[in-house]
Amino acid sequence: MKRLLSRVISLAAVLAMLPAPAAAAAPPPPIVIEAPLFQGGSGSAFYLRAAREYEKLRPDVKVDLYLDPRIQDKVQVRFLEGTFFETTNVGMNYWPLIRNGDVVQVDKYLDGPSWDTVDADGKPVKWRDTFLPGSLDTYAEDGRHYGIPLAYYATVVWYNKRMFREHGWQTPGTWDELFALCEQAKRAGVAPMAFQGRFPYYATYLYDSVHYHLAGPNGFLARQNLAPGSIAAAESVRAIELTRTLAERYFQPGALGMSHTESQLQFFLGNAAMIPCGAWLKSEMLGKIPQGFELGCFNLPIVAGGKADPSAVRISAEPFIVFSKSKHPEACVDFLRFITSRQMAGLFARMQDVPTCVRGANEGNLSKDLDDLVKIVSAAKASYGAVPGGGYSEMLQVYADMMYDAIANPARLTPQQVADKYERRGEAVRTLRLYPEKVRVNHRIKPAVLLGLLALGLGYWLYQTVKSLARQRRRAMIFEASLPRMRPSNVLLFVGPALLLYSTFVIVPSVRSFSWSLHEWNGLTSMSAMPFRGLMNFKRLLLESDAFWIALKNNLWLMFVVPLFVVPLSMFLAACISRGVWGGRVFRVVFFFPNLVGGIAASLLWLHLYNPRGGVVNVGLAQIGKGLTWLGWTAGGAWFASWQNFAWLEPQHLYWALIPISIWGAVGFNMVLYLAAMEGVDESYYEAATLDGAGKWRQFWTITVPLIWDVLAISIVFLVIGGMKAFDVIWLLTNQRPQTDNHVIATRMVQTMFTEFRVGEAAALAVLLFLMVFVGSAATLRGMRREGGQA
């Protein structure tokens, strides 16, 4: 055993001295390009295929793509965290990030070779030269470029080729020819033009076309950059005038109450001859286009004697942005070179039936329906639409309001008055950008009244609360000795988890919003760069902002007008059912049924009911009119028939259209509340009242109402809170693009934060909303409370 052990030890020593075999080198980890993309008109199939094709060419690279229609919310969180991915094509304002140095300037790559395009001598063409005119201008400033485009969304006027051929109509080139064509369509009994009226900013394309050709490229950019007097200039007034003429005379009846898909469907169903829209039209309406429909298009008409190239097209693009603080920006740029090659861009056009920004990639790759569009794009020597330096994001709302005033003219303003009105609004936007700490005092009485009411309401609530607590304490003293007390450890056990969760997800964010309201921040750059502004945001909202007071007025309308319809009707129905009306059990279920449908689903349902062309509401009113006419009441029949094609959801009609929605959605819930309280009232009260000769009406006011008063108060408080916090129904009925006159405080807050990127002002709106909801509901509840159920 000793000899064996000695030999084993000797062998182990020899083996230890031998050199170890070389280990196989582990392959380096792949380069990962992270790309969260917007899943919209460009689809997702192409991007997924392009990623796999690129990975075959570059085995050392993995492209991590994920697409989502709501991807903007997710990428903004990443910006706030500072954990940048490589690229995205989400449509948002990247200029704060560009100014902060977080975005790659791509000029050195654009001056390098393209992926697969060569000149006549076989030499690579500069990547920059492979793009169509104006494609790179979406994110450009002083010759520096920060985005790489792919899709090329040119705006044109689409038309029904078969209809044009059957009537012998010719496509127009000027506005005068367009008006003449529209007159021909009207004489033929066809609506000349469908329009996406619930998106008034679609009219901006028409307005921009006239202004660009009259003012020239320099004048167009001067207006976009809010040069003084540019909106009120003669060229702008003429553009408003022509756009208004087209809308008032030739838009399809009911167009101002239609969404983009509703109006586009009207066009494809042959109910209108034309529609102005971007190059995404066919891709967006796939599956809804009738078999055999022949689609054609012509460029936006020009104005005779204009200063711009008549071949110019109005475009928008979805550029890819590369982030300098990501892990692999160089590899990402190479991937973008690949997907914007002529071969891959042609594949994109073929798969999505959407034109691209790459020269030569559209020809032969788009469907026959887009032949006219390819000719327009190929012939264009210039384009317009993008604003170097980003312009003013706040003007998106201003121009949408301006276009509604132009096409609907609710205030009966002349084109010059419209231009002057929005010149002043543009001046306010420009002043805010140049002098962020300057506040123009436009309102004095309103802020004083609001703050005074808040102070009075808060004081009244505190007084009533202290008074009530003192009364309750006196009553409780006689029972205090006999009541068991819970130990602190048990209190912590029962309350602690709920308090922790509530504090984490409600209290802490609320406190942070109070802090943010005192700062200025764009929501994209680092939170460390948040200059303290004190009460500046509150001063701007209360003293300067017209939009805030319009939104508050709309909230007050919902708070006071809606309950005037909901509460009496709910009380009436509850009283009828509680007194044993025939079919009461069935009515109870039927009236409560709308509350089983979620708020979003209900809003979508009413969108269809209010459709001006074929919606149940308009069709029903028209049928009533026909019935009354058949019965011989011609005047009444004509009145009901006049509601046909009525645009219920047009901005100036929107809030009155909310009345039926509110009745349908709120009456059932409140009826059940009142009914439960009424059924708890002792029947002997009614028997005694009947013996004393009191009628049903007197019994209702002297017995029912006093004894259900607390429930009635809670119901009214719910309606007050609902009116003050209204958001989803307004947001959905306006397709997430409310006019300034339609905003409520909650929608204005969302737009201020996520469209205009003024987080401090949005937080100030949230604080004001909290104060108004808290004080209003607390004061209302205290004011309506009655001790002991006594009247």
Side-chain angles (χ1 to χ4, degrees), residues 574-688:
C576 291
I577 294 175
S578 69
R579 304 310 293 170
V581 69
W582 181 85
R585 294 182 181 274
V586 176
F587 292 140
R588 185 184 310 202
V589 175
V590 170
F591 292 138
F592 188 74
F593 176 77
N595 293 274
L596 303 178
V597 181
I600 294 177
S603 298
L604 295 176
L605 172 64
W606 279 93
L607 280 174
H608 293 288
L609 295 177
Y610 275 144
N611 189 327
R613 309 282 298 191
V616 173
V617 174
N618 284 357
V619 170
L621 292 172
Q623 291 300 318
I624 292 174
K626 290 181 180 179
L628 293 177
T629 301
W630 181 78
L631 292 173
W633 188 19
T634 307
W639 185 84
F640 276 99
S642 66
W643 291 93
Q644 188 171 8
N645 302 326
F646 184 78
W648 289 93
L649 299 180
E650 182 184 345
Q652 63 177 321
H653 305 143
L654 177 66
Y655 277 84
W656 289 108
L658 292 177
I659 297 296
I661 298 176
S662 300
I663 292 174
W664 181 81
V667 163
F669 175 77
N670 288 282
M671 179 199 72
V672 170
L673 283 181
Y674 303 154
L675 183 59
M678 290 177 184
E679 291 181 343
V681 177
D682 194 335
E683 191 67 26
S684 61
Y685 291 118
Y686 297 107
E687 294 174 357

Side-chain angles (χ1 to χ4, degrees), residues 19 28-29 37 75 79 202 213 241 243 328 433 485 492 515 539 547 552 567 608 623 625 635 650-651 659 679 786 788:
L37 303 181
V75 301
F79 296 151
Y202 268 76
H213 288 285
E241 181 181 355
T243 304
H328 307 290
R433 181 74 62 87
R485 289 185 174 273
L492 184 62
S515 172
K539 291 178 181 177
L552 178 58
V567 172
H608 293 288
Q623 291 300 318
E650 182 184 345
I659 297 296
E679 291 181 343
R786 296 187 178 184

Side-chain angles (χ1 to χ4, degrees), residues 158-160 163 190-197 251-275 281 285 288-290 293 295 608 610-615 618-619 644-645:
W158 300 90
Y159 68 94
N160 187 327
M163 183 183 293
V190 179
M193 188 167 288
F195 185 73
Q196 308 85 340
F251 278 2
Q252 185 184 23
L256 296 184
M258 293 187 195
S259 69
H260 59 304
T261 52
E262 291 169 346
S263 61
Q264 289 162 193
L265 186 60
Q266 287 293 309
F267 166 68
F268 282 114
L269 291 176
N271 297 328
M274 298 171 284
I275 186 170
L281 175 68
M285 296 299 290
K288 300 178 182 178
I289 303 176
F293 189 93
L295 187 62
H608 293 288
Y610 275 144
N611 189 327
R613 309 282 298 191
N618 284 357
V619 170
Q644 188 171 8
N645 302 326

Side-chain angles (χ1 to χ4, degrees), residues 337-609:
R337 284 179 61 244
F338 171 71
I339 67 172
T340 56
S341 64
R342 180 176 293 182
Q343 178 184 355
M344 294 306 296
L347 178 64
F348 172 84
R350 194 161 56 251
M351 291 179 67
Q352 303 304 137
D353 213 11
V354 170
T356 78
C357 297
V358 179
R359 295 180 186 271
N362 296 317
E363 291 79 358
N365 288 313
L366 295 170
S367 65
K368 183 176 176 58
D369 283 332
L370 302 186
D371 283 350
D372 292 343
L373 182 62
V374 172
K375 293 177 183 177
I376 293 170
V377 169
S378 301
K381 299 176 183 177
S383 65
Y384 59 98
V387 184
Y392 296 82
S393 60
E394 300 91 337
M395 289 301 292
L396 293 174
Q397 179 72 70
V398 175
Y399 279 123
D401 296 342
M402 177 176 167
M403 289 302 99
Y404 181 67
D405 275 351
I407 62 179
N409 197 17
R412 297 292 179 257
L413 302 176
T414 66
Q416 184 65 61
Q417 290 172 329
V418 172
D420 292 339
K421 175 182 176 180
Y422 289 95
E423 175 70 32
R424 292 190 294 271
R425 286 186 62 178
E427 179 186 356
V429 172
R430 183 177 63 251
T431 302
L432 175 61
R433 181 74 62 87
L434 294 175
Y435 309 102
E437 297 186 7
K438 181 180 179 181
V439 177
R440 176 185 298 177
V441 179
N442 297 327
H443 306 278
R444 289 185 173 86
I445 298 177
K446 293 177 182 177
V449 172
L450 176 61
L451 295 177
L453 289 176
L454 287 176
L456 287 174
L458 184 61
Y460 175 77
W461 173 75
L462 288 173
Y463 170 75
Q464 290 292 340
T465 300
V466 171
K467 183 179 177 181
S468 177
L469 288 174
R471 186 185 303 113
Q472 291 176 11
R473 181 157 184 82
R474 287 195 299 269
R475 291 176 179 175
M477 288 178 64
I478 59 175
F479 303 105
E480 191 170 326
S482 60
L483 290 177
R485 289 185 174 273
M486 186 176 290
R487 290 183 297 177
S489 59
N490 290 337
V491 173
L492 184 62
L493 177 64
F494 284 103
V495 179
L499 181 62
L500 178 62
L501 290 173
Y502 190 77
S503 299
T504 302
F505 295 104
V506 178
I507 301 298
V508 173
S510 298
V511 172
R512 292 291 295 274
S513 67
F514 276 81
S515 172
W516 287 356
S517 68
L518 305 177
H519 294 76
E520 181 182 351
W521 185 38
N522 55 39
L524 296 175
T525 54
S526 173
M527 293 177 64
S528 60
M530 292 174 58
F532 182 76
R533 298 298 186 196
L535 298 177
M536 177 62 65
N537 292 316
F538 294 96
K539 291 178 181 177
R540 193 176 303 283
L541 288 172
L542 296 173
L543 301 177
E544 181 178 358
S545 175
D546 294 330
F548 169 76
W549 292 107
I550 292 172
L552 178 58
K553 179 194 71 175
N554 291 332
N555 279 112
L556 293 175
W557 193 95
L558 293 173
M559 286 172 57
F560 293 110
V561 176
V562 169
L564 290 179
F565 291 88
V566 171
V567 172
L569 184 55
S570 300
M571 291 280 285
F572 172 75
L573 294 174
C576 291
I577 294 175
S578 69
R579 304 310 293 170
V581 69
W582 181 85
R585 294 182 181 274
V586 176
F587 292 140
R588 185 184 310 202
V589 175
V590 170
F591 292 138
F592 188 74
F593 176 77
N595 293 274
L596 303 178
V597 181
I600 294 177
S603 298
L604 295 176
L605 172 64
W606 279 93
L607 280 174
H608 293 288
L609 295 177

